[in-house]
């Protein structure tokens, strides 16, 4: 399995240490749209689906 990393996106979108759950939600939502180097964690994916964002 080949994971493609959008390193340009990652350079522009560093998640800060100690980010809140809300910040992580935003980050993973943007990440999933721009890059597929890793899956959205189950807890984050569940919350995004609940909000109709994923
Ligand atoms: Zn990525």
């Amino acid at each position: 399995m080949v994971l493609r990393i959008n390193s340009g996106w990652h350079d522009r979108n560093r998640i800060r240490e100690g980010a809140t759950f809300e910040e992580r939600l935003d980050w993973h939502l943007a990440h999933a749209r721009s890059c597929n180097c890793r899956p959205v964690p189950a807890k984050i994916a569940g919350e995004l689906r609940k909000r109709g964002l994923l």
Side-chain angles (χ1 to χ4, degrees):
M1 182 180 174
V2 176
L3 293 172
R4 275 191 295 168
I5 297 177
N6 183 344
S7 55
W9 187 91
H10 276 275
D11 284 346
R12 290 190 305 276
N13 297 274
R14 294 251 166 81
I15 195 158
R16 67 180 177 84
E17 195 82 23
T20 64
F21 185 68
E22 289 294 321
E23 288 170 330
R24 283 156 50 80
L25 282 181
D26 284 348
W27 188 90
H28 278 286
L29 183 60
H31 180 252
R33 286 172 175 164
S34 305
C35 181
N36 59 6
C37 71
R38 58 188 154 109
V40 182
K43 203 176 153 190
I44 302 279
E47 183 63 27
L48 291 175
R49 281 202 198 92
K50 209 192 297 177
R51 299 183 187 192
L53 296 170
L54 198 70

